[in-house]
Amino acid sequence: MSARAPITLSPDAWDAFLAGLYERGDRLDLRQPGQPYAPDEVVDAWVLSGHAEALRSAEVDGDLWGTLEDIEEEAGSEDEAWAKIVAFYLERGCVLVQVQGLDEPEDWILSEDLARRLGLPVG
């Protein structure tokens, strides 16, 4: 299976993406216009992190080294570790979402099913 291109978002598009989501129970989904949502259903990066396969974020600790250990890989640097994590998940059909234009990397790996359900352009 060939890896697909990353989904890239601007910081404003990322914020709008998060604002357009809600979490109810253990399910993350898109908000629908005109529907009521409780304050505790708001999604921020921390909430999204519970649904991501892996992440590299300035806002949320994605436990890079723990994730690398989980996939039974080793690396000499954080960049090498992230590259191996990305390759591992993309080979399994996941998608990479990158927020461009920030001082630090903001990269999220989501399952294809979740990305589709959340309205991301999976292809």
Side-chain angles (χ1 to χ4, degrees):
M1 172 180 280
S2 65
R4 60 178 52 102
I7 297 167
T8 57
L9 300 173
S10 69
D12 288 343
W14 175 248
D15 290 342
F17 168 70
L18 292 176
L21 305 177
Y22 73 96
E23 181 185 53
R24 189 170 291 157
D26 64 352
R27 183 169 170 89
L28 194 62
D29 221 326
L30 285 173
R31 290 177 179 259
Q32 299 301 315
Q35 296 297 314
Y37 298 95
D40 66 347
E41 294 177 332
V42 170
V43 174
D44 58 12
W46 189 84
V47 171
L48 180 62
S49 72
H51 299 271
E53 299 297 326
L55 62 106
R56 179 172 69 161
S57 170
E59 196 170 339
V60 179
D61 178 13
D63 189 16
L64 185 77
W65 297 108
T67 302
L68 190 68
E69 185 177 310
D70 289 345
I71 64 171
E72 300 177 353
E73 287 282 354
E74 295 180 3
S77 70
E78 287 187 10
D79 287 339
E80 181 184 357
W82 182 245
K84 287 184 176 191
I85 291 167
V86 169
F88 176 87
Y89 282 104
L90 293 185
E91 287 173 4
R92 286 153 181 81
C94 292
V95 297
L96 174 62
V97 179
Q98 296 180 313
V99 183
Q100 301 292 312
L102 299 173
D103 292 336
E104 296 183 49
E106 193 69 37
D107 301 330
W108 294 72
I109 299 173
L110 305 176
S111 71
E112 181 178 355
D113 289 342
L114 178 62
R116 282 186 195 284
R117 190 171 75 241
L118 301 182
L120 291 170
V122 175

